[in-house]
Amino acid sequence: MNEKTLVLIKPDAVERNLIGKILSEYERNGLKITNMRLVTASKETTEIHYEEHKGKSFFESLVSYLTRSPIVALTIEGDNAIERVRTLNGTTNPADSGDNTIRALYGISLSENTVHSSDSIESAERECAIWFN
Ligand code: CMP
């Protein structure tokens, strides 16, 4: 089934000039980038994006990390795109992420893990609408 998912290339990656390398991972796997913008995320937008984590111990540091410098927001489309992008990204903690996943290659830590992507059709619709009205 053709799907659309949201990806954020997070501050740690943009700061280290990794945008091109990360985009090429999606493209060489046959996925299409269909919207893209470089943006400094506001606190409000970031809190809405991560609302499911509100109240958790790491929420404040997550928001301050994501807003500290520019990110790239993009939508990616393709057959089964939500799962394929998550497989390419790897697990949340780069230390546990499979070989050659984006987080294993470039992630710094559990909190600075380089990329975000939607985890379901419902969250993809919600998150695409947050970053691309
Ligand atoms: P992401 O996939 O963007 O979704 C939520 C983010 O919260 C996650 O990546 C991590 O960056 C961060 N996160 C999740 N769990 C923790 C944790 N235990 N400590 C710090 N950050 C976390």
Side-chain angles (χ1 to χ4, degrees), residues 2-123:
N2 192 67
E3 292 175 348
K4 177 158 89 168
T5 190
L6 180 96
V7 167
L8 301 178
I9 301 177
K10 295 180 176 182
D12 66 276
V14 177
E15 287 163 4
R16 290 178 291 146
N17 293 348
L18 293 171
I19 297 170
K21 286 197 168 76
I22 292 170
L23 294 178
S24 76
E25 292 293 316
Y26 303 126
E27 289 193 314
R28 73 188 180 82
N29 279 281
L31 292 155
K32 278 275 170 219
I33 294 162
T34 51
N35 289 282
M36 183 161 67
R37 68 191 185 108
L38 182 75
V39 59
T40 302
S42 69
K43 189 167 183 283
E44 293 70 27
T45 302
T46 304
E47 286 183 350
I48 292 167
H49 174 83
Y50 279 129
E51 68 184 10
E52 69 179 290
H53 298 296
K54 213 163 194 162
K56 293 185 184 165
S57 57
F58 59 86
F59 184 72
E60 296 302 326
S61 61
L62 176 60
V63 173
S64 87
Y65 155 61
L66 209 90
T67 56
R68 79 178 179 205
S69 63
I71 63 170
V72 178
L74 55 144
T75 63
I76 292 183
E77 293 186 45
D79 191 42
N80 200 25
I82 294 170
E83 187 185 324
R84 283 167 66 200
V85 168
R86 287 180 70 81
T87 300
L88 290 171
N89 286 355
T91 53
T92 305
N93 190 344
D96 306 327
S97 204
D99 285 352
N100 295 320
T101 59
I102 291 169
R103 284 169 169 159
L105 289 169
Y106 306 119
I108 294 173
S109 64
L110 174 59
S111 48
E112 300 206 8
N113 63 357
T114 305
V115 282
H116 164 87
S117 65
S118 311
D119 64 4
S120 65
I121 290 173
E122 295 70 30
S123 64

